[in-house]
Amino acid sequence: MAGPRVVIIGAGVVGAALADEISARGWTEVTVVDQGPLPATGGSSSHAPGLVFQANPSKTMTELARYTVEKFCSLDVDGQPCFLQVGGLEVATTPERVTELHRRHGWLTAWGVDSRILTADECVEKHPLVNRERVLAGLHIPTDGLAKAVLAVEAQIRRATGRGVTFLARHEVLDVLRADGEVTGVRTDQGDLAADIVVCCAGIWGPKIARMVGMNLPLTPLGHQLAWTGPVPALAGQTEEAVRPILRHQDADLYYRDRHDTLGIGYYGHRPMPITADEILSVDEADAMPSVLKFTEDDFADAWTETQSLLPATKDAKVEEGINGLFSFTTDGLPLLGESPDVKGFWVAEAVWVTHSAGVGRAVAEWLVDGHCSSFDLHECDVNRFEPHQLSPEYVLARDCQNFVEVYDILHPLQPSGDPRPIRTTPFHARQQELGAFFLEANGWERPQWYEANAPLVEGRSIVTPNDWAARYWSPIVAAEAQTTRETVAMYDMTALKRLEVSGRGAADLLERLCTGKVAKSVGSVTYTLLLDHDGGIRSDITVARLAPDVFQVGANGNLDLDWFTRHLPADGTVQVRDITPGTCCIGLWGPLARDVLQPLTDEDFSATGLKYFRAKRAHIGSVPVTAMRLSYVGELGWELYTTADLGQKLWDTLWRAAKPLGGIAAGRGAFNSLRLEKGYRSFGTDMTYEHDPYEAGVGFAVKADKEDFVGKAALERRRADVRRKLTCLTIEDPRAVVMGKEPVYDGQRAVGYVTSAAFGHTIGKGIAYAWLPAELAVPGTTVHIGYFDQRVEAAVAEEPLFDPAMSRLRG
């Protein structure tokens, strides 16, 4: 089949990869346009140094890089290879970086990429220019190497052209044509091109192209220094382009690569140098190429001093040339992939470096041709993941520059984001400040992790301080808050969780079609259910409360859920969906004394029979109208209490006055996470993602197989019979051996899975880790080991839930 008419804007390493991958899947009515010459178009691909390091905390990003390595290794242009697999070496010059290398080795092992920690002597054996006196250890990845980006572009152009794809050089895009909310073509300076689908792969020009359809792309081009030495005497006679592993010295924001008898030096330690897409020169105006700015020697001075210390042989050479090359940065350091929410047929594949380019080409090709991506979990990369404030120019510039500064930093999983903060504050914020809340950020919201006011609760409790890494952004107060929740009652700020209202006479039918559970039940019903993609993978887990015959409130996981519902709205206007999060707030009132707090404040019946588990009703708490849902994500009696933002502080004060005499407290996210893991509750995006199905993830109970149909049902029925891995509960006896997530899990010496969520269970007195394991190992009593930095932590597979398996506390 020829497929629809596709125009790809940008023939760099991403556009060429997409053209190759999509034509290989049978779509050949494809035209690729670029304002520059081919194959060196003048974008970032044309000057990229080509270093491909696969280590990444994101499983998806590592898998995209691994596919890129595998594909580039198979490509050549007239016998010239597109990838030089010389390996990668990351060196540590501080004890902190040695520890970090062990963590990075854990990621690679967890994601299935071979690597090894090296001694200092072994580092010098791999890269003889390295100063033995400076290096403490190293991380070696044999499959890393140098991508020859321009050659890779040419090789993929040839393959795609052979299948009928057309490439048009020197065609500047002036506009993206559209009608009735859909793309119809692309206008260039040499004429119009008809299109059913337009994919923007314009790299640093991406924001300019996206703006043509009214799309705000949170991407900033930033200058990045790359210098080349003249001949290094120690490399004299090197005829091959590269023989040593590519080298990273992240303690000093530096990387290095061979080029015959010279060295390339990349540097991230200088000041951020942002530029707008509109400020980039045209191909004809630029001296060398549009993506290359003038080298600023003063910014490179520290880099050259450090280079001569790490690689003493460079003292006999000079820096002879350099550039400030433009690369794309985003607010969270991840690519921007997917379709515009407003203009059908306009897609983007942006903020993609050479490292991940072929993987992204394959991912977007699958997404376009099949309607979903089967090879990679793309929820982290979907362009529609952002909240509205995350698209503001101030926010984008600040966070993009921060990500440039931190690109090689050692970042803790809980490390707070930088400016601008605070952005979103709940109606309870002033009261939380009075209680000494320690805030972290969640979707822009300031969310308490714990409260210093609860410090006296620590006294008399046996609380073990975890290891140094796990003890960062932690306090013993977390343990006291968790235990107090189980003993009395606690108030949790749940405002940061996304809330959607789905309404209209077609609302029930829409939800029935999208959800795995039966949600069109009686008014007051609340249903835990799943959203699946067409391949049966989990897109989200949600709660659906029917508040009126045509009104449902959905407890969602983020903006991608809003995007999913919006894309499935019927054309007849019988359903509306809106984000009600900003105008509302929520308090989780949970604990064995929760009813003692709530019942005296209302005339409504909140007894076990008056409002049953997983039921909702509207009531007044004092003078505050609320929607009360009998739910609990900490495994205790209680309710989620929703009201409008203007009444939020009044609701807090009303509950606080009633709870305080009973020993009630405000508790933070640290306690919440511990309690939810004791109860075995999954977190979408962490424990389960698009790549997992309900039966693997242990949420098969949310699928009502007797439903007539729902999105993903047919695929799910096929997957159900072949469950080869399971999300598995592990317990750890050593109280200090608290892991953090993303660590590899070993069966003997064989890496077999990885940790998702982890915390210490302050009720059960053990560490808890959820992990993906082969089904044959997910048997209670099985012993495995978790790779935690340079340690192996013993863990045992356990029955779940670990706390209150009879559900007596929840249903009481």
Side-chain angles (χ1 to χ4, degrees):
M1 67 174 184
R5 297 168 300 177
V6 179
V7 173
I8 298 172
I9 302 173
V13 74
V14 179
L18 176 57
D20 179 34
E21 296 284 343
I22 202 170
S23 61
R25 285 162 177 78
W27 283 17
T28 54
E29 199 167 340
V30 178
T31 303
V32 185
V33 297
D34 200 291
Q35 63 185 341
L38 299 176
T41 62
S44 301
S45 303
S46 301
H47 69 73
L51 287 79
V52 175
F53 285 93
Q54 297 166 84
N56 197 291
S58 164
K59 180 174 183 283
T60 296
M61 295 298 281
T62 296
E63 290 175 339
L64 292 170
R66 180 168 54 197
Y67 179 79
T68 301
V69 167
E70 292 170 354
K71 182 175 183 180
F72 282 9
C73 281
S74 71
L75 299 178
D76 72 271
V77 175
D78 301 330
Q80 299 179 76
C82 294
F83 195 79
L84 306 178
Q85 201 159 43
V86 292
L89 178 62
E90 302 183 13
V91 294
T93 58
T94 64
E96 294 79 12
R97 185 65 64 174
V98 173
T99 302
E100 172 70 358
L101 292 186
H102 282 284
R103 184 166 72 126
R104 297 173 69 80
H105 171 61
W107 295 338
L108 288 161
T109 305
W111 313 146
V113 177
D114 182 47
S115 67
R116 191 166 72 88
I117 296 293
L118 303 184
T119 65
D121 288 336
E122 289 173 322
C123 291
V124 176
E125 289 176 15
K126 292 288 183 186
H127 202 301
L129 298 189
V130 169
N131 183 354
R132 171 64 180 80
E133 301 305 314
R134 290 291 314 280
V135 175
L136 302 178
L139 173 63
H140 183 239
I141 307 97
T143 52
D144 284 350
L146 287 167
K148 308 286 289 180
V150 175
L151 281 179
V153 168
E154 184 172 357
Q156 292 175 103
I157 286 176
R158 290 184 181 186
R159 285 158 54 118
T161 302
R163 302 187 192 103
V165 175
T166 300
F167 285 79
L168 300 176
R170 295 285 185 174
H171 279 60
E172 181 182 358
V173 173
L174 303 178
D175 199 4
V176 177
L177 307 177
R178 55 201 185 279
D180 299 324
E182 299 183 19
V183 298
T184 59
V186 171
R187 175 156 294 161
T188 79
D189 59 353
Q190 299 190 45
D192 293 353
L193 301 168
D196 305 301
I197 294 171
V198 174
V199 188
C200 178
C201 302
I204 52 179
W205 290 277
K208 183 177 180 180
I209 300 297
R211 199 164 58 240
M212 294 175 181
V213 298
M215 188 176 183
N216 189 354
L217 209 60
L219 180 159
T220 303
L222 281 109
H224 162 53
Q225 291 201 304
L226 176 66
W228 293 95
T229 71
V232 178
L235 303 181
Q238 181 175 317
T239 57
E240 294 182 60
E241 179 178 347
V243 296
R244 294 163 192 80
I246 53 176
L247 180 67
R248 277 208 279 206
H249 175 26
Q250 292 172 293
D251 284 320
D253 297 304
L254 285 160
Y255 63 76
Y256 306 92
R257 57 151 296 177
D258 290 12
R259 188 177 68 179
H260 302 293
D261 63 348
T262 68
L263 285 177
I265 307 168
Y267 186 44
Y268 287 105
H270 55 80
R271 61 190 168 88
M273 303 177 190
I275 188 172
T276 69
D278 295 311
E279 294 173 308
I280 302 171
L281 297 176
S282 69
V283 173
D284 294 327
E285 292 173 322
D287 291 335
M289 62 181 74
S291 60
V292 170
L293 306 182
K294 184 179 179 181
F295 188 61
T296 49
E297 293 184 16
D298 289 348
D299 290 303
F300 195 72
D302 290 343
W304 183 235
T305 299
E306 181 62 23
T307 295
Q308 291 175 307
S309 174
L310 183 73
L311 307 174
T314 58
K315 294 178 181 178
D316 299 322
K318 294 187 296 184
V319 174
E320 294 197 349
E321 57 180 306
I323 63 170
N324 288 353
L326 293 175
F327 287 99
S328 301
F329 281 79
T330 62
T331 56
D332 56 9
L334 294 165
L336 307 172
L337 312 178
E339 188 179 20
S340 161
D342 302 313
V343 179
K344 186 178 180 181
F346 183 80
W347 289 67
V348 298
E350 287 289 341
V352 181
W353 292 4
V354 173
T355 298
H356 309 101
S357 58
V360 166
R362 177 174 181 173
V364 176
E366 289 180 353
W367 199 349
L368 285 166
V369 175
D370 301 331
H372 59 86
C373 177
S374 57
S375 296
F376 309 97
D377 161 36
L378 297 181
H379 86 276
E380 294 177 312
C381 307
D382 193 313
V383 70
N384 297 297
R385 64 189 180 269
F386 300 103
E387 295 291 322
H389 73 273
Q390 294 172 321
L391 299 175
S392 69
E394 179 189 43
Y395 182 95
V396 170
L397 180 61
R399 290 293 170 89
D400 289 359
C401 288
Q402 178 186 343
N403 280 328
F404 178 89
V405 171
E406 295 179 344
V407 69
Y408 279 176
D409 287 0
I410 299 171
L411 301 176
H412 191 275
L414 296 179
Q415 187 160 321
S417 301
D419 290 333
R421 274 186 74 190
I423 298 177
R424 307 172 87 179
T425 55
T426 75
F428 323 129
H429 187 69
R431 297 294 184 256
Q432 293 166 342
Q433 288 180 308
E434 292 168 4
L435 294 172
F438 178 81
F439 292 101
L440 296 179
E441 185 184 353
N443 297 323
W445 294 99
E446 296 295 314
R447 183 168 66 185
Q449 193 73 359
W450 69 82
Y451 295 87
E452 288 296 331
N454 292 327
L457 297 175
V458 174
E459 187 175 349
R461 298 179 185 271
S462 178
I463 298 172
V464 178
T465 301
N467 58 78
D468 292 345
W469 186 248
R472 298 186 189 185
Y473 308 106
W474 176 88
S475 166
I477 297 170
V478 168
E481 290 178 356
Q483 292 173 355
T484 302
T485 302
R486 296 268 190 244
E487 296 160 359
T488 56
V489 64
M491 295 164 51
Y492 288 83
D493 183 355
M494 303 300 291
T495 304
L497 299 181
K498 175 79 81 177
R499 291 173 292 287
L500 308 176
E501 181 184 88
V502 182
S503 61
R505 57 186 174 86
D509 291 339
L510 173 68
L511 289 167
E512 281 293 319
R513 183 163 60 89
L514 296 181
C515 297
T516 61
K518 295 180 179 179
V519 298
K521 299 184 288 192
S522 62
V523 171
S525 65
V526 183
T527 306
Y528 174 82
T529 185
L530 306 173
L531 303 177
L532 303 184
D533 213 328
H534 296 278
D535 65 347
I538 301 171
R539 286 196 64 94
S540 190
D541 65 333
I542 61 175
T543 55
V544 179
R546 192 171 201 175
L547 303 182
D550 293 341
V551 179
F552 297 80
Q553 181 170 313
V554 176
N557 281 297
N559 216 55
L560 291 181
D561 292 344
L562 174 60
D563 182 66
W564 185 251
F565 281 121
T566 302
R567 291 181 188 279
H568 287 84
L569 290 177
D572 60 8
T574 57
V575 187
Q576 297 79 45
V577 59
R578 65 188 184 101
D579 183 358
I580 62 173
T581 313
T584 57
C585 57
C586 179
I587 295 174
L589 180 71
W590 295 314
L593 301 184
R595 187 172 286 119
D596 297 320
V597 172
L598 195 64
Q599 188 61 76
L601 301 175
T602 180
D603 293 334
E604 293 288 337
D605 183 3
F606 278 85
S607 68
T609 55
L611 185 61
K612 295 180 180 180
Y613 189 50
F614 266 81
R615 296 289 298 178
K617 68 177 174 182
R618 291 188 165 120
H620 282 85
I621 305 302
S623 58
V624 180
V626 302
T627 298
M629 298 187 195
R630 181 80 188 278
L631 307 175
S632 171
Y633 284 93
V634 300
E636 293 291 339
L637 169 68
W639 302 267
E640 292 179 358
L641 303 171
Y642 298 88
T643 192
T644 52
D646 60 322
L647 292 169
Q649 184 168 298
K650 181 64 175 177
L651 177 62
W652 179 283
D653 291 344
T654 301
L655 294 172
W656 182 254
R657 281 194 299 270
K660 193 66 176 165
L662 299 177
I665 62 167
R669 189 68 178 184
F672 176 93
N673 199 47
S674 170
L675 296 170
R676 70 109 179 158
L677 286 177
E678 288 185 330
K679 197 61 185 166
Y681 292 141
R682 277 69 167 139
S683 173
F684 177 81
T686 303
D687 298 316
M688 54 191 184
T689 67
Y690 292 3
E691 68 174 296
H692 306 115
D693 70 50
Y695 304 110
E696 296 172 327
V699 288
F701 63 87
V703 178
K704 300 305 178 187
D706 59 343
K707 280 188 66 172
E708 183 174 338
D709 196 18
F710 53 81
V711 172
K713 181 181 181 183
L716 186 60
E717 289 175 347
R718 293 191 296 270
R719 293 175 68 153
R720 183 176 188 175
D722 189 28
V723 176
R724 300 183 183 185
R725 58 183 175 180
K726 288 187 176 181
L727 184 62
T728 307
C729 179
L730 305 176
T731 58
I732 302 166
E733 294 293 336
D734 183 349
R736 280 184 52 80
V738 176
V739 301
M740 297 291 293
K742 301 188 177 182
E743 298 89 358
V745 180
Y746 294 88
D747 176 30
Q749 296 302 310
R750 181 174 61 109
V752 292
Y754 58 92
V755 173
T756 58
S757 296
F760 190 80
H762 298 290
T763 310
I764 66 169
K766 296 179 181 181
I768 306 169
Y770 272 78
W772 282 100
L773 295 180
E776 64 270 18
L777 293 178
V779 178
T782 302
T783 298
V784 293
H785 288 82
I786 300 171
Y788 189 62
F789 296 96
D790 59 345
Q791 306 167 29
R792 293 289 179 91
V793 176
E794 184 175 299
V797 177
E799 293 273 10
E800 57 173 329
L802 299 169
F803 177 78
D804 188 26
M807 305 280 282
S808 59
R809 295 172 76 104
L810 276 170
R811 299 179 184 278

